[in-house]
Amino acid sequence: MVPPRWAAKAREQILETLFPSHCVGCAERGSWLCTACLGGLRQCAGGFCPGCLRPSTDGRPCFVCAASCPLTQLFAACPYRQGTLVKAVESLKYTGVQALANPLAGLLVAHLEHLRYAAAWSDAFDAVIPIPLHRRRLLARGYQQAALLAAPVAQHFGWPLREDILFRRRATRPQVGLPQRIRQNNVRGAFVVRGAAPRRVLLVDDVVTTASTMRACAKALRDAGSGEVVAVALAHG
Ligand SMILES: [Zn+2]
Ligand SMILES: [Zn+2]
């Protein structure tokens, strides 16, 4: 069971009293990520092949990966290796403060708006799905950072946020530090779809490195009947 929203709000207020917010980039008081540090982050110009992660202007698979890749497109808002962004993503992972998730989700929204303007895609999504954590890890942590990022995105565009479709059926080792081939096996078959699969899905995660997890999710959704699965992450690297 996930703690209710009021519990998260209360926790946030207690945290704010005990540890008043200060920018993770420059330590200025008053917010978790100030507008100057947020505006100073480098952004990704185009997308990535969702199979091999080579740059791809429209985020579609390269000709080598096209036949075997379950993801339709892959995008990330920013390159990950920027001090402020690494600190922000880690703080989000370990504190779960929505006040920190909001400016980061703003980067995702701006990137998606830019992509829509650049005609990378045009149709609405039937579901925005955050990459799920296993129930055990969710219980231990009490929130999941992908959902904290996905909620403001869904709200901004008016697409339904769906956390009741895709589930992690077994706990997997954390992907960080694992070589690509091991990562692929680590998450293969780890996800399951319950109920009707939406036609067009937007998958959301915080950081994409090899996209093995995104592909495993997309495979489960496509096998269950989804037509297109587009993945977007806050950061790549
Ligand atoms: Zn700052
Ligand atoms: Zn490729």
Side-chain angles (χ1 to χ4, degrees), residues 76-159:
C78 307
Y80 187 39
R81 297 287 155 210
Q82 312 184 59
T84 303
L85 190 59
V86 172
K87 272 192 244 169
V89 168
E90 304 223 311
S91 307
L92 181 64
K93 193 168 279 183
Y94 299 111
T95 65
V97 173
Q98 183 72 51
L100 180 56
N102 287 339
L104 295 176
L107 291 173
L108 272 178
V109 166
H111 196 63
L112 287 166
E113 285 286 12
H114 160 79
L115 291 171
R116 181 155 71 172
Y117 182 74
W121 48 262
S122 52
D123 295 345
F125 290 94
D126 302 311
V128 178
I129 302 183
I131 299 292
L133 281 178
H134 188 260
R135 201 164 37 84
R136 207 178 319 140
R137 201 166 295 160
L138 184 60
L139 274 176
R141 210 184 265 170
Y143 57 84
Q144 63 147 322
Q145 71 272 21
L148 294 176
L149 294 172
V153 170
Q155 193 180 13
H156 174 88
F157 290 98
W159 302 325

Side-chain angles (χ1 to χ4, degrees), residues 23-28 31-38 84:
C23 173
V24 294
C26 66
E28 189 185 85
S31 69
W32 292 102
L33 190 53
C34 76
T35 39
C37 288
L38 194 60
T84 303

Side-chain angles (χ1 to χ4, degrees), residues 49-54 60-66:
C49 164
C52 64
L53 279 288
R54 287 197 183 88
R60 292 186 186 277
C62 69
F63 73 96
V64 180
C65 302

Side-chain angles (χ1 to χ4, degrees), residues 3-16:
R5 234 164 255 279
W6 63 262
K9 268 247 148 23
R11 198 175 65 111
E12 214 149 291
Q13 273 165 13
I14 292 166
L15 279 174
E16 184 59 38

